[in-house]
Amino acid sequence: MRILLSNKFYYRRGGDCIYSIELESLLKAAGHEVAFFAMDFPENLSSPWSKYWPREVAFSPKKPGAFIRAFMRPFGDSETVKKFTAMLDEFKPDVLHLNNIHTQLSPVLAEIARARGVKVVWTLHDYKLVCPAYTCYSHGEICEECIGGSKKPCSAKCCVKNKLGSIIAQKEAESWNCARLEKCVDKFVCPSAFMKAKMEQGGFDSSKLIALHNFIDEAKVASAFVEKEDCYCYVGRLSQEKGVRTLLKVAAQKSQTLYVLGTGPLSEELKAEFATCSQIKFMGHCDWNTCKAILLKSKFSVISSEWYENNPLSVIESLSLGTPVLGANIGGIPELIEPGVTGELFKSGDAEDLSKKVDTMFGNSYSYDAAALCKLYSRDNYLKQILDIYG
């Protein structure tokens, strides 16, 4: 089978990029012919297909030409259309598999491919198709005002960076509405049942929606037994929607050590705020070997999100290593955790409930078959299911 993958970036920038690159590797290893379409970007991995990639766009008023190009890109600018069409002419894919393509690329890719009879599959890594701001989270709160209705609240509430960005996001959502997208996409892959429900709430046809959890590399989580220590950990971005401040306030009242792995916009602020708490260890950005070592020795990991987390790999990886998870009862997180068996759930944003559940996690022992979980989320299992979707 000839499969054309597309994601706005082609390096390990975030979850969408990692998924796309790992899927490319998985498909190639299974003997399929795979090409990749992305935006040209300095940090991208090398690719024989980069000659077709449209120029980088940046919303910078200091560069009028680039600014105009950036404004036009989400709606399908001539450069993207021309280069993508030329790539289709050469590669002739059976399937186009889209990932995170908004803003830096465009859903116009789906229209062009579908008009040629190419099957179009789209894995959704966020809520962009029902929420112009991607997250269903605005100014520190869950927000569903745009789901299934007008997109005007996005600009009215200034949900995306600034007023101009919010207006562009609103116009983009109005242009690429549910009816238009359903005409050119055969299947939408939702990494959680929760996301599938939100897409249905947004008016999308349930027959085009498939809930399929992401996959992991079993070799990555292979490990020997490690004695657990009196500690726990957080692995993720240090930002408001991740609920890190709520977690740290609780950790400051505990005696056990909390390892905080990751960086983000709140990094320096949180380090200063909790500088006197010796039991909180800020580790900054860590490579996988460091993350793995800390996860293995931790009694449990915590995912404290206060937004609709989709299908966090941090939960799957922790559980696959045999480390239970204390997760916020929000978004797709509850689908991954069986209370009393693989961890516990707490009310998102509720410091008191989180504190109680931290004590519960330290007081209980959790026993489950990590190997069975690895198989459930394995590359081979995912390959079979995604090929069924490709048809």
Side-chain angles (χ1 to χ4, degrees):
M1 191 179 297
R2 300 175 67 83
I3 303 148
L4 174 54
L5 298 174
S6 182
N7 193 64
K8 59 176 68 175
F9 297 107
Y10 187 55
Y11 71 100
R12 294 176 178 272
R13 178 187 179 103
D16 58 318
C17 306
I18 294 170
Y19 167 87
S20 302
I21 293 169
E22 290 291 330
L23 180 59
E24 178 188 29
S25 172
L26 179 59
L27 291 168
K28 284 183 176 179
H32 299 281
E33 294 184 63
V34 186
F36 208 104
F37 186 78
M39 177 186 72
D40 194 22
F41 195 73
E43 295 182 58
N44 282 344
L45 303 173
S46 62
S47 169
W49 302 100
S50 60
K51 61 185 177 181
Y52 292 114
W53 297 352
R55 288 172 291 175
E56 177 188 356
V57 293
F59 289 90
S60 174
K62 296 179 181 178
K63 299 178 180 179
F67 182 76
I68 294 173
R69 188 164 66 250
F71 180 80
M72 295 300 296
R73 180 65 61 81
F75 306 96
D77 66 313
S78 59
E79 180 189 11
T80 302
V81 171
K82 181 179 179 180
K83 289 187 172 181
F84 184 68
T85 300
M87 187 169 180
L88 291 180
D89 288 339
E90 180 178 343
F91 185 63
K92 296 179 175 58
D94 301 304
V95 176
L96 169 65
H97 189 153
L98 303 173
N99 289 280
N100 192 353
I101 59 165
H102 276 90
T103 308
Q104 284 83 356
L105 292 174
S106 168
V108 75
L109 307 183
E111 282 191 335
I112 296 170
R114 198 69 190 87
R116 290 176 169 231
V118 177
K119 185 165 185 177
V120 179
V121 173
W122 193 341
T123 292
L124 308 175
H125 298 277
D126 51 48
Y127 302 93
K128 178 67 173 177
L129 300 193
V130 293
C131 167
Y134 292 88
T135 60
C136 297
Y137 186 85
S138 178
H139 303 290
E141 297 180 346
I142 293 295
C143 173
E144 296 190 4
E145 290 186 46
C146 290
I147 299 182
S150 168
K151 309 306 177 186
K152 291 182 179 179
C154 179
S155 59
K157 295 172 64 176
C158 199
C159 294
V160 181
K161 293 183 179 180
N162 51 44
K163 189 67 174 180
L164 178 59
S166 299
I167 291 172
I168 293 173
Q170 176 194 321
K171 297 298 182 184
E172 182 182 15
E174 290 170 346
S175 176
W176 296 106
N177 56 48
C178 173
R180 185 179 180 185
L181 290 174
E182 284 193 330
K183 288 180 181 178
C184 58
V185 178
D186 294 279
K187 295 292 181 182
F188 296 95
V189 179
C190 306
S192 66
F194 180 86
M195 171 170 276
K196 181 176 182 290
K198 288 301 166 191
M199 289 288 288
E200 290 172 347
Q201 183 181 332
F204 284 82
D205 183 353
S206 62
S207 68
K208 288 203 168 197
L209 304 171
I210 298 174
L212 175 60
H213 289 160
N214 290 328
F215 64 96
I216 58 170
D217 183 349
E218 304 96 296
K220 182 180 176 182
V221 295
S223 61
F225 174 76
V226 174
E227 190 73 39
K228 297 293 185 182
E229 298 180 9
D230 200 31
C231 64
Y232 56 129
C233 65
Y234 167 86
V235 181
R237 183 172 165 80
L238 304 188
S239 53
Q240 184 180 16
E241 74 279 4
K242 294 293 188 177
V244 189
R245 177 172 272 110
T246 303
L247 171 60
L248 295 183
K249 286 181 178 179
V250 169
Q253 305 303 315
K254 305 294 181 182
S255 60
Q256 298 92 346
T257 298
L258 172 69
Y259 289 97
V260 180
L261 288 70
T263 61
L266 295 182
S267 293
E268 298 308 314
E269 183 180 326
L270 292 175
K271 286 179 184 177
E273 184 175 346
F274 296 94
T276 60
C277 300
S278 60
Q279 69 273 45
I280 298 176
K281 309 291 185 183
F282 289 95
M283 306 297 290
H285 174 74
C286 299
D287 60 23
W288 172 245
N289 287 334
T290 303
C291 289
K292 182 177 178 179
I294 292 177
L295 280 166
L296 284 171
K297 73 177 183 178
S298 295
K299 287 282 184 68
F300 58 93
S301 65
V302 183
I303 180 161
S304 51
S305 296
E306 294 175 5
W307 76 293
Y308 289 154
E309 198 82 51
N310 183 11
N311 183 237
L313 278 176
S314 56
V315 174
I316 297 174
E317 289 171 344
S318 181
L319 293 177
S320 297
L321 286 168
T323 300
V325 179
L326 172 56
N329 195 0
I330 193 170
I333 297 172
E335 298 171 35
L336 302 173
I337 300 170
E338 184 178 354
V341 179
T342 60
E344 303 291 346
L345 296 170
F346 71 94
K347 184 178 180 180
S348 177
D350 188 326
E352 183 178 352
D353 191 34
L354 173 56
S355 179
K356 290 179 181 178
K357 294 299 171 57
V358 167
D359 293 340
T360 298
M361 293 289 291
F362 273 113
N364 291 354
S365 60
Y366 297 83
S367 178
Y368 62 92
D369 190 345
L373 276 176
C374 282
K375 186 175 182 180
L376 176 65
Y377 299 116
S378 70
R379 290 161 60 89
D380 288 345
N381 192 30
Y382 192 87
L383 176 65
K384 181 181 181 301
Q385 294 180 81
I386 202 67
L387 290 178
D388 285 345
I389 293 170
Y390 291 166

